[in-house]
Amino acid sequence: MERTAVAVCEILKYLIIHWKCETAGTSKGALLEGQIVISMEALNSKHQANTLHCVTTIASAGSIYGGLVLKKFLKEIQSILPGFSAKLNWTSEEASCSQDISGVTPFQMIFEVDEKPRTLMTDTLVIKNFLHKIVMVHPKIKFNFSVKVNGVLSMEIFGTKNEPTLNLSNGIALVISYQHYVRPKVGTAELLCSRIHPVLGHPVMLFIPDDMAGMGLLGELILTPAAALCPCPKIFSNQLNRISSVSIFLYGPSGLPLILPSQEQPTTTVFKDTSYFIDWKKYHLCMVPDLDLNLDRDLVLPDVSYQVESSEGDQSQNMDSQGQTLLLFLFVDFHSGFPVQQTELWRVHTLLTTHLSAILTESHNVVQDSVQVAVDQALEQHHHATKDHQKLQASLSVAVNSIISIVTGSTSSSFRKICLQALQAADTREFGTKLHKSFHEITQHRFLPYCSCEMKQQLLPEKNAEQSTEDAHEDSSLELLAGTSGQVENKRLKRGSLRQGRKETRAFHPARSPRQSEAAACRTKPTDASLTPCGSRASPGGGLEDSLWQQEVSNLSEWLSPGPEP
Amino acid sequence: MAFAPMGPEASFFAVLDQHRASLLAALRRGGGEPTGGGTRLASSSEVLASIESVIQGIISSVARNEAPAFTIENRSSWENIKFEDSVGLQMVSHCTTRKIKSDSPKSVKNFALILKILSMIYKLVQSNTYATKRDIYYTDSQLFGNQTVVDNIINDISCMLKVPRMSLHILSTSKGLIAGNLRYMEEDGTRVHCTCGSTAVAVPSNIQGIRNLITDAKFLLIVEKDATFQRLLDDNFCNRMSPCIMVTGKGVPDLNTRLLVKKLWDTFHIPIFTLVDADPHGIEIMCIYKYGSMAMSFEAHNLTVPAIRWLGLLPSDIKRLNIPRDTLIPLTKRDQMKLDSVLKRPYVTCQPFWRKEMEIMADSKMKAEIQALTFLSSDYLSRVYLPNKLKFGGWI
């Protein structure tokens, strides 16, 4: 891990902890809200060949960093980054008012580092991932991240403001839009539910190993796991009937990521044993660590990743199709009977980032129990969805074969002719194939188990973005353990809003995918004074959603009023 | 006559003959037998064409990219059933229906099973072979789950295609027995001679196919329980009351037993009486023979015999005959509920004497089995009770 990335991440962690502590007195449990601008400007070094001199500026609008003492800040940062040095600027309120909101800010921190170009490239990816992870639990924080290398500017905005979330304790909320975690393969069935439905496990207290007991923590470490399948298992697609991977995300107090990618990872040693906390055998799954974690993607990079090696005893699954990913979030929080001081919280973070494995090992039994329950509940949904799908397939197979039996066995040539013509089949064999396919296509979209989150969303009138934002954070709480927690929140989120607030990413590299090219159209001209962010892309809405919505409404009485079994 | 006269003198049957005459007169006044509604016997080609029409509809739906569905009449819903004195319980002409959809998780399995059984029926009709409902179930018991599922689907198909089950080449297993003065020939040419001795003949599986029925019987006695039926056989009742016919459905009658009773009535118009326990269950069984059942209301015209009379055991008989109280059984909660249910049925309103008997039972909160008569004497039923009832018109 190179210096710039570590420095940026540690500084951001420090700032957010400071921010949290500053606001704890006034609005306990409320989400942090604000904007932080990070800009890196790199020019060829005049003193070293093949080296870039990089000046990094971290700035913030608003007065959230009032009270930040530079000396104390430097001392604490230098405990992690020896020799680190930075300049801290405060601007006057009058000066900040004369600019636009992203202009000169009251708070500005600048530091300089010399780095190789390749290192800088890696650093930007690491920073991007870190920012992405933060906004996944701090949906009201927005990061403007720009990188200018020898005059060429690239800018990205990280924010999840209008996306559905699940409120957790202590002022963080998990974003539950699936597209941050998984990108379905092209050609998979249209997914009507764009959320994940986390199941929260019961919070457990972590035990501190004896050799760390003297660190003087005046409080408890509480781990709360959350598990979810991605994409939503309730909306069934033929290609999503198996678990193919597991992604584990580790968050510490204040919703800060515990791990930085590409770092040496003694912290995650405990996860090398894939079965240490989760018994996969009961699901006929064999997990192996996935070491191929590509930084350069716009999904949230997990801290630990497993791949399913094979499904024991089940040869019938289509291994070529994309399966589902089990997402496991481990939130470690610090609770104390006293108002937590920033220094203490910073110390807790440092402890966790360096000794997480040891702490989790010490607490193996309780962690295992809690995690297993959450995983069991999340996979139960998948299990039910798989069973439902199997029943459907079996029933349709019986139906189709019965029809084929009658058509092929009929001695009435006119009847056979009419049937074949209806499906434009040349013979009974082709008729059978087409009948199978047609039935499958007709029922695949229509046979959608009730996914209440999506249904409620589609039924409700559209609202403006501000109201949607408020709605997105209401209702749910840590106490909701059921997988239906996603049903409670966002009751009134407007239909198109799921696609809003998508972070627009533009790769550092010149080559882009078509989707990213589309986003690149929003790239601004490089100016120092105005880092104008591109707005969130509006939802395309579209005819497919409308027609599907109409179908759902027409089936509404069936879903809402279960009738007698025929 | 073909049968040796062993029974009482002709004068014994005077009241019975009068009753028969009044029944015939009522029939003539009513314009003969009511024309069959609901289901009718259909030829094989008609059945095959009906099934092909159903399949065509499904394929057309699929071709239009619409999820196909069956529309099934709600056979077991009181709102779809009306009561006619001349027929009994039958389905109304415009019934409520339900859809069995192929794209609904609740009904897709049923949709598939209906098609499965349709395809099996298609093959049976095509090959002119027959199978029982049990046979159908055992072709794939795991798929069907249980016999009731198969039975219901077969009835739904019968109702949907508007043909009797027989036309679907599905037989029901008969459990009923016949004894007495009756001869007939089965479809395959087998001659059956029901005897008056101590043995009985099983009700045939193919009632529609029997022909050349011959009888001199003065009456047909439907006996609820097999135990009572056997007792009467052992007491030589058929000979002593000859000429007569006895039938038992061994409890709730199966379709074939009901079809046989209906056929005997349609063919001979002889008085038909029921001998049931004086309890709500017995009364309900009697009502099935007379007025039909909700489940089979779509075939009422083929199954009901509204001319049936209740011979015994009447609740009023219990008091009249001084049957010892310790032989009586208190009505259970379930009995009470069934009695209340029967009292509310539409046909009870046109049977004031039946209603009165049921009210006597309700008031006394007691029930009695026919076997209670054995406390008077072991053969009281066959030697005293039934002969007196038949001779002096003790039916309602």
Side-chain angles (χ1 to χ4, degrees):
Chain A
M1 175 60 61
E2 299 305 329
R3 294 194 66 195
T4 303
V6 172
V8 168
C9 295
E10 292 299 331
I11 290 169
L12 287 176
K13 277 162 68 172
Y14 187 93
L15 292 177
I16 288 175
I17 290 172
H18 175 87
W19 188 1
K20 203 84 170 100
C21 293
E22 287 288 304
T23 54
T26 51
S27 49
K28 188 178 167 152
L31 296 174
L32 296 180
E33 186 168 2
Q35 184 176 343
I36 297 177
V37 177
I38 304 152
S39 59
M40 293 165 62
E41 186 167 357
L43 294 167
N44 288 327
S45 170
K46 293 170 187 167
H47 307 294
Q48 295 178 52
N50 196 32
T51 302
L52 294 168
H53 182 74
C54 182
V55 177
T56 304
T57 305
I58 298 174
S60 171
S63 56
I64 50 177
Y65 293 114
L68 187 76
V69 177
L70 179 62
K71 266 191 187 169
K72 187 180 164 194
F73 160 73
L74 283 175
K75 183 181 168 192
E76 287 177 342
I77 285 290
Q78 280 166 358
S79 66
I80 298 171
L81 303 170
F84 175 79
S85 173
K87 282 189 290 188
L88 192 59
N89 292 335
W90 300 101
T91 61
S92 68
E93 272 190 46
E94 284 141 358
S96 68
C97 283
S98 68
Q99 309 292 330
D100 68 291
I101 59 159
S102 58
V104 176
T105 55
F107 165 82
Q108 200 176 66
M109 184 183 296
I110 301 171
F111 65 92
E112 299 176 24
V113 173
D114 288 331
E115 283 190 341
K116 301 288 181 198
R118 192 149 193 88
T119 308
L120 185 64
M121 191 165 70
T122 307
D123 280 352
T124 56
L125 293 174
V126 168
I127 292 167
K128 277 167 51 177
N129 205 316
F130 188 76
L131 299 180
H132 198 169
K133 277 190 187 164
I134 292 177
V135 299
M136 293 304 294
V137 294
H138 288 285
K140 290 190 175 181
I141 295 179
K142 189 161 86 170
F143 292 103
N144 288 38
F145 178 52
S146 65
V147 178
K148 195 173 176 184
V149 180
N150 289 326
V152 178
L153 177 68
S154 160
M155 189 180 75
E156 298 185 36
I157 296 170
F158 295 84
T160 51
K161 194 170 184 188
N162 289 330
E163 296 191 34
T165 58
L166 172 67
N167 278 351
L168 301 174
S169 65
N170 204 23
I172 61 173
L174 178 65
V175 172
I176 55 173
S177 306
Y178 86 93
Q179 69 261 24
H180 295 284
Y181 305 103
V182 159
R183 181 91 50 228
K185 274 187 187 172
V186 173
T188 52
E190 179 78 16
L191 297 171
L192 283 188
C193 180
S194 56
R195 302 183 189 188
I196 59 172
H197 305 278
V199 177
L200 299 175
H202 53 270
V204 294
M205 192 175 80
L206 298 178
F207 301 110
I208 309 293
D210 290 338
D211 54 349
M212 291 172 219
M215 296 195 74
L217 292 178
L218 298 176
E220 295 167 343
L221 290 172
I222 305 292
L223 173 94
T224 306
L229 282 171
C230 184
C232 173
K234 293 175 189 170
I235 303 301
F236 193 82
S237 161
N238 223 359
Q239 310 196 14
L240 297 175
N241 58 352
R242 64 185 185 91
I243 308 292
S244 61
S245 59
V246 178
S247 296
I248 302 176
F249 301 88
L250 303 167
Y251 284 91
S254 307
L256 290 169
L258 285 174
I259 310 291
L260 295 179
S262 307
Q263 217 170 10
E264 287 302 316
Q265 304 292 1
T267 315
T268 55
T269 308
V270 72
F271 293 102
K272 281 187 183 157
D273 178 356
T274 58
S275 302
Y276 194 65
F277 292 116
I278 303 168
D279 176 15
W280 299 109
K281 282 187 183 160
K282 60 198 278 192
Y283 303 108
H284 310 294
L285 294 172
C286 179
M287 293 288 180
V288 294
D290 180 11
L291 303 173
D292 179 25
L293 297 176
N294 182 13
L295 270 179
D296 186 15
R297 58 182 198 177
D298 54 1
L299 301 176
V300 182
L301 189 71
D303 299 310
V304 178
S305 182
Y306 300 147
Q307 284 286 324
V308 171
E309 191 171 54
S310 65
S311 293
E312 295 173 11
D314 190 344
Q315 306 299 323
S316 62
Q317 287 185 350
N318 179 7
M319 299 300 289
D320 292 329
S321 65
Q322 178 188 6
Q324 287 180 294
T325 299
L326 175 67
L327 305 174
L328 181 61
F329 301 90
L330 300 180
F331 298 102
V332 181
D333 206 357
F334 182 70
H335 289 274
S336 168
F338 307 100
V340 181
Q341 299 301 314
Q342 180 188 340
T343 312
E344 187 163 28
L345 211 49
W346 178 251
R347 208 163 60 232
V348 168
H349 241 282
T350 308
L351 174 73
L352 285 171
T353 51
T354 52
H355 294 92
L356 181 66
S357 272
I359 292 170
L360 291 178
T361 304
E362 188 75 14
S363 318
H364 172 243
N365 287 343
V366 295
V367 172
Q368 186 182 45
D369 283 344
S370 182
V371 167
Q372 189 72 59
V373 165
V375 167
D376 284 349
Q377 286 190 35
L379 291 184
E380 196 182 324
Q381 296 172 358
H382 169 263
H383 178 70
H384 284 315
T386 304
K387 282 257 178 241
D388 284 348
H389 177 71
Q390 285 170 350
K391 277 185 202 169
L392 168 66
Q393 291 302 309
S395 294
L396 290 182
S397 180
V398 168
V400 168
N401 288 337
S402 301
I403 294 171
I404 292 171
S405 163
I406 292 172
V407 173
T408 54
S410 171
T411 56
S412 166
S413 57
S414 60
F415 167 67
R416 285 203 316 277
K417 190 175 170 189
I418 290 169
C419 293
L420 262 60
Q421 275 177 353
L423 293 187
Q424 297 175 341
D427 52 36
T428 50
R429 189 173 175 171
E430 192 183 346
F431 172 81
T433 309
K434 287 195 170 183
L435 188 64
H436 265 289
K437 190 170 169 232
S438 299
F439 251 110
H440 180 79
E441 281 170 3
I442 287 167
T443 56
Q444 193 63 23
H445 284 290
R446 295 292 300 264
F447 188 87
L448 298 172
Y450 183 51
C451 182
S452 59
C453 55
E454 194 67 27
M455 173 59 72
K456 285 177 183 172
Q457 183 173 320
Q458 289 179 343
L459 282 177
L460 297 164
E462 296 197 351
K463 288 195 165 188
N464 56 42
E466 288 77 20
Q467 200 165 357
S468 298
T469 304
E470 288 168 22
D471 293 341
H473 298 316
E474 69 181 18
D475 290 332
S476 57
S477 68
L478 184 61
E479 285 72 34
L480 291 173
L481 287 177
T484 53
S485 58
Q487 295 176 12
V488 179
E489 64 178 44
N490 294 323
K491 287 192 291 242
R492 297 188 292 281
L493 201 60
K494 70 172 177 177
R495 183 150 55 94
S497 67
L498 282 181
R499 302 222 183 152
Q500 290 182 0
R502 179 187 288 174
K503 170 179 73 64
E504 296 181 348
T505 58
R506 299 181 245 329
F508 181 82
H509 310 287
R512 305 185 196 313
S513 68
R515 192 186 67 80
Q516 289 172 324
S517 298
E518 194 180 359
C522 289
R523 184 187 293 186
T524 61
K525 295 258 187 254
T527 62
D528 290 335
S530 59
L531 291 172
T532 309
C534 286
S536 302
R537 191 177 304 141
S539 163
L544 176 60
E545 281 188 15
D546 284 330
S547 64
L548 287 168
W549 178 68
Q550 290 293 340
Q551 284 170 356
E552 288 303 326
V553 169
S554 71
N555 284 338
L556 184 61
S557 61
E558 177 183 318
W559 297 125
L560 295 180
S561 308
E565 201 45 46
Chain B
M1 289 300 303
F3 301 100
M6 296 171 65
E9 293 174 357
S11 59
F12 179 91
F13 297 111
V15 176
L16 272 167
D17 290 338
Q18 278 175 13
H19 177 54
R20 185 170 185 236
S22 68
L23 288 174
L24 288 171
L27 269 177
R28 281 192 292 272
R29 278 194 305 273
E33 295 293 351
T35 52
T39 61
R40 47 159 187 84
L41 262 184
S43 65
S44 294
S45 57
E46 284 176 54
V47 173
L48 292 177
S50 293
I51 295 175
E52 284 166 2
S53 173
V54 168
I55 298 300
Q56 224 171 286
I58 290 173
I59 294 169
S60 299
S61 286
V62 170
R64 289 192 306 270
N65 213 35
E66 291 169 8
F70 288 113
T71 300
I72 305 280
E73 289 173 345
N74 290 323
R75 293 181 292 111
S76 300
S77 171
W78 277 110
E79 64 180 334
N80 286 338
I81 293 174
K82 64 177 181 184
F83 171 69
E84 256 185 45
D85 196 21
S86 59
V87 177
L89 296 176
Q90 57 180 331
M91 287 189 84
V92 300
S93 47
H94 297 293
C95 297
T96 60
T97 58
R98 66 186 188 281
K99 277 197 180 314
I100 313 267
K101 297 182 185 179
S102 57
D103 61 344
S104 161
K106 290 199 296 280
S107 64
V108 63
K109 186 174 180 190
N110 217 28
F111 178 86
L113 292 183
I114 292 174
L115 278 171
K116 172 81 176 171
I117 293 180
L118 268 177
S119 70
M120 295 171 75
I121 291 170
Y122 193 83
K123 282 203 163 24
L124 286 172
V125 174
Q126 250 188 348
S127 58
N128 198 26
T129 52
Y130 291 80
T132 63
K133 291 187 294 180
R134 200 72 179 156
D135 294 334
I136 303 273
Y137 167 70
Y138 277 116
T139 58
D140 197 336
S141 57
Q142 210 167 8
L143 173 69
F144 293 118
N146 60 70
Q147 183 68 54
T148 308
V149 168
V150 173
D151 294 353
N152 284 334
I153 289 176
I154 290 170
N155 286 338
D156 281 335
I157 290 173
S158 176
C159 191
M160 180 171 67
L161 300 181
K162 303 245 181 302
V163 294
R165 193 192 302 168
M166 188 63 205
S167 299
L168 303 178
H169 283 224
I170 295 180
L171 308 171
S172 55
T173 310
S174 303
K175 60 178 178 161
L177 297 171
I178 333 165
N181 302 85
L182 180 66
R183 286 189 306 181
Y184 57 86
M185 186 184 294
E186 292 190 356
E187 194 178 32
D188 62 358
T190 305
R191 292 173 195 273
V192 178
H193 187 177
C194 302
T195 64
C196 298
S198 58
T199 55
V201 170
V203 170
S205 299
N206 184 1
I207 302 297
Q208 310 287 4
I210 63 176
R211 52 193 188 277
N212 296 347
L213 287 105
I214 301 171
T215 186
D216 295 324
K218 290 288 187 180
F219 64 92
L220 165 63
L221 183 66
I222 300 173
V223 182
E224 178 197 345
K225 296 189 303 200
D226 184 40
T228 311
F229 184 86
Q230 295 297 335
R231 183 59 206 251
L232 289 173
L233 284 183
D234 291 343
D235 288 350
N236 209 17
F237 178 82
C238 280
N239 280 326
R240 285 198 266 113
M241 288 291 110
S242 177
C244 69
I245 302 171
M246 280 203 313
V247 169
T248 182
K250 296 183 183 177
V252 176
D254 57 63
L255 198 66
N256 288 332
T257 305
R258 293 175 63 188
L259 282 168
L260 176 66
V261 169
K262 172 71 174 171
K263 194 169 183 79
L264 291 173
W265 164 255
D266 287 345
T267 310
F268 301 116
H269 298 304
I270 55 173
I272 301 179
F273 304 109
T274 56
L275 179 64
V276 299
D277 289 342
D279 64 18
H281 186 60
I283 294 171
E284 188 170 53
I285 288 172
M286 178 173 59
C287 291
I288 291 174
Y289 284 104
K290 184 177 172 82
Y291 291 124
S293 61
M294 187 197 282
M296 295 301 295
S297 58
F298 64 96
E299 277 212 64
H301 288 267
N302 297 330
L303 296 172
T304 60
V305 183
I308 284 174
R309 297 293 186 264
W310 187 3
L311 190 65
L313 179 66
L314 303 178
S316 59
D317 288 338
I318 296 171
K319 193 176 177 184
R320 183 173 61 80
L321 299 173
N322 284 321
I323 292 172
R325 194 165 175 82
D326 55 3
T327 64
L328 307 180
I329 306 163
L331 290 177
T332 63
K333 204 164 188 175
R334 203 169 165 182
D335 289 333
Q336 297 273 12
M337 285 168 58
K338 188 173 282 292
L339 188 58
D340 292 339
S341 162
V342 174
L343 277 166
K344 284 177 189 151
R345 292 196 192 155
Y347 41 70
V348 174
T349 49
C350 65
Q351 294 288 340
F353 294 111
W354 287 30
R355 170 173 276 278
K356 196 173 173 191
E357 292 292 332
M358 284 189 255
E359 284 167 356
I360 292 172
M361 187 189 301
D363 291 341
S364 69
K365 294 187 175 39
M366 304 297 277
K367 60 182 179 182
E369 293 181 334
I370 296 168
Q371 279 66 31
L373 295 175
T374 58
F375 284 91
L376 298 172
S377 75
S378 60
D379 56 358
Y380 190 88
L381 174 68
S382 60
R383 284 199 177 272
V384 178
Y385 180 79
L386 286 176
N388 280 337
K389 281 264 182 173
L390 289 165
K391 185 174 180 183
F392 297 110
W395 55 76
I396 55 172

